Amino acid sequence: MYLKILCLVTFLYASPGLSFKPVVLIHGIMTGSNSMEMILHRIKEKHPGTIIYNVDRFESWSSLETMWHQVLEIGQDVANISAKHPEGINLIGYSQGGLVARGIVQTFSNITIDTFISLSSPQAGQYGAGFLHLVFPGLVKDEVYELFYSRVGQHTSVGNYWNDPYHQQLYETYSVFLPYLNNHLQSAESQNFKNNLLKLKRLVLIGGPDDQVITPWQSSQFGYYHGNETVVEMKDQAIYKEDLIGLRTLNESGRLHLVTVPGVNHFNWHTNVTIVDNYLLPYLD
Ligand SMILES: *[C@@H]1O[C@H](CO)[C@@H](O)[C@H](O)[C@H]1NC(C)=O
Ligand SMILES: *[C@@H]1O[C@H](CO)[C@@H](O)[C@H](O)[C@H]1NC(C)=O
Ligand SMILES: *[C@@H]1O[C@H](CO)[C@@H](O)[C@H](O)[C@H]1NC(C)=O
Ligand SMILES: *[C@@H]1O[C@H](CO)[C@@H](O)[C@H](O)[C@H]1NC(C)=O
Ligand SMILES: *[C@@H]1O[C@H](CO)[C@@H](O)[C@H](O)[C@H]1NC(C)=O
């Protein structure tokens, strides 16, 4: 018996490539698949044999196309990838790509994701000059709701997750994406959105206080402003307390991991090798 176990252990250690699930990477806004190459190479180096798909749709300016469009298009690719790997795949999205990725996880019932890692993504929305000025340098955060909360404003990805704490009624009236994905507003898909998120084996939400672009940075872990610019953490938000999309159930079954890393600017999460080593690789098996 002892010998058998020893042999099995040796076998597992000697053939690491067999055990790593394929990984899908989704890039951030105004960039493309190139920006994810450090992560790709590092995973291949440390977990040899891993098959990696680096999404090259919606690069550069087309990353501003609507969130639902991106979710449905990239989701078809991921569904095809998933069909090829019935044992399950892992998904990593950076910045806006992490919100596209969550849209895919919650929308597609025919995708089997083992671990989904959201790397500094505006999961609860965005209200800050940092992100806004990446794309629209001339706009002012406390006035931009007039643009985003309109039919036309909803034609950009950023408008789809702009969450102005001072104009919640307009957000609920006009935003076609985030309030629905978060089951803040009910739709025919609400139950499906929750069921699909609950199929994850692990949800890892990475973010940090020195991000300077995701505002508030706690949005990377479902914390957000409430009423004014005072941040309310995830555990005290309705989305968690009322288990609207399954976050509380995920946590109670040990599947939700909040990872807070200080000292990382938004533009360094995907270029900093210690982030991959310490916070991505341990979850990729
Ligand atoms: C998915 O796979 C099907 C069947 O192989 C193919 O017809 C379709 O074009 C693929 N879709 C995408 C988005 O790659
Ligand atoms: C996955 O489901 C979507 C509809 O939700 C469908 O359009 C797509 O063809 C399916 N893809 C695969 C590979 O089963
Ligand atoms: C923000 O709202 C919270 C709770 O509603 C309140 O306690 C706090 O005083 C408010 N802060 C400001 C600056 O208005
Ligand atoms: C998640 O679960 C852990 C362990 O059960 C618990 O300590 C933690 O407080 C929970 N997190 C939240 C946000 O409730
Ligand atoms: C890289 O990440 C580590 C945390 O893993 C952090 O302490 C360090 O400041 C980061 N460096 C840069 C340049 O972002």
Side-chain angles (χ1 to χ4, degrees), residues 117-162:
I117 304 177
S118 159
L119 187 57
S120 194
S121 302
Q123 297 294 355
Q126 173 70 22
Y127 179 67
F131 212 94
L132 189 62
H133 292 169
L134 290 184
V135 191
F136 306 104
L139 300 181
V140 181
K141 78 166 183 185
D142 41 1
E143 291 172 3
V144 76
Y145 74 91
E146 293 179 352
L147 170 64
F148 285 154
Y149 297 153
S150 68
R151 291 251 178 109
V152 171
Q154 288 297 307
H155 287 299
T156 65
S157 62
V158 183
N160 293 156
Y161 52 85
W162 189 256

Side-chain angles (χ1 to χ4, degrees), residues 234-236 240 248 251-252 254 256 258:
M234 177 191 75
K235 66 175 171 37
D236 298 315
Y240 187 82
R248 203 181 73 211
N251 193 52
E252 284 167 356
L256 179 65
L258 302 192

Side-chain angles (χ1 to χ4, degrees), residues 35-278:
S35 69
M36 300 299 275
E37 282 198 348
M38 190 283 286
I39 295 180
L40 184 152
H41 291 306
R42 191 65 174 176
I43 295 172
K44 290 208 164 184
E45 185 186 338
K46 292 290 184 177
H47 287 177
T50 306
I51 299 168
I52 305 183
Y53 299 88
N54 191 3
V55 169
D56 61 1
R57 286 191 197 264
F58 300 102
E59 299 190 309
S60 183
W61 286 101
S62 59
S63 66
L64 291 179
E65 290 185 33
T66 70
M67 290 299 284
W68 280 125
H69 182 50
Q70 298 194 46
V71 164
L72 296 178
E73 289 265 310
I74 299 174
Q76 294 289 350
D77 294 339
V78 180
N80 273 10
I81 292 168
S82 179
K84 267 193 236 163
H85 304 282
E87 75 280 16
I89 58 179
N90 295 320
L91 179 61
I92 300 174
Y94 162 61
S95 192
Q96 178 181 284
L99 189 51
V100 171
R102 181 162 66 89
I104 293 169
V105 169
Q106 289 183 222
T107 305
F108 285 79
S109 309
N110 56 358
I111 297 181
T112 305
I113 311 277
D114 215 71
T115 294
F116 163 39
I117 304 177
S118 159
L119 187 57
S120 194
S121 302
Q123 297 294 355
Q126 173 70 22
Y127 179 67
F131 212 94
L132 189 62
H133 292 169
L134 290 184
V135 191
F136 306 104
L139 300 181
V140 181
K141 78 166 183 185
D142 41 1
E143 291 172 3
V144 76
Y145 74 91
E146 293 179 352
L147 170 64
F148 285 154
Y149 297 153
S150 68
R151 291 251 178 109
V152 171
Q154 288 297 307
H155 287 299
T156 65
S157 62
V158 183
N160 293 156
Y161 52 85
W162 189 256
N163 188 352
D164 183 331
Y166 301 107
H167 297 93
Q168 286 293 290
Q169 221 169 349
L170 290 174
Y171 167 71
E172 290 170 1
T173 305
Y174 285 100
S175 184
V176 297
F177 180 72
L178 194 62
Y180 294 98
L181 190 67
N182 285 354
N183 285 348
H184 174 68
L185 298 178
Q186 294 295 305
S187 71
E189 288 303 308
S190 294
Q191 192 58 47
N192 205 24
F193 287 160
K194 181 173 178 177
N195 292 347
N196 287 336
L197 196 76
L198 282 170
K199 291 193 320 195
L200 290 175
K201 278 213 191 125
R202 206 152 40 191
L203 171 58
V204 184
L205 302 171
I206 304 176
D210 302 306
D211 187 275
Q212 293 183 341
V213 169
I214 302 297
T215 325
W217 72 265
Q218 290 91 339
S219 179
S220 56
Q221 301 172 343
F222 287 98
Y224 208 70
Y225 300 129
H226 186 77
N228 55 32
E229 283 168 79
T230 306
V231 174
V232 174
E233 296 201 349
M234 177 191 75
K235 66 175 171 37
D236 298 315
Q237 295 275 354
I239 195 171
Y240 187 82
K241 287 193 295 187
E242 295 165 28
D243 208 22
L244 296 179
I245 59 170
L247 293 171
R248 203 181 73 211
T249 303
L250 284 171
N251 193 52
E252 284 167 356
S253 51
R255 291 179 287 160
L256 179 65
H257 300 254
L258 302 192
V259 180
T260 304
V261 188
V264 186
N265 178 276
H266 191 67
F267 300 105
N268 292 333
W269 291 104
H270 58 318
T271 60
N272 183 334
V273 78
T274 69
I275 296 297
V276 185
D277 289 358
N278 298 344

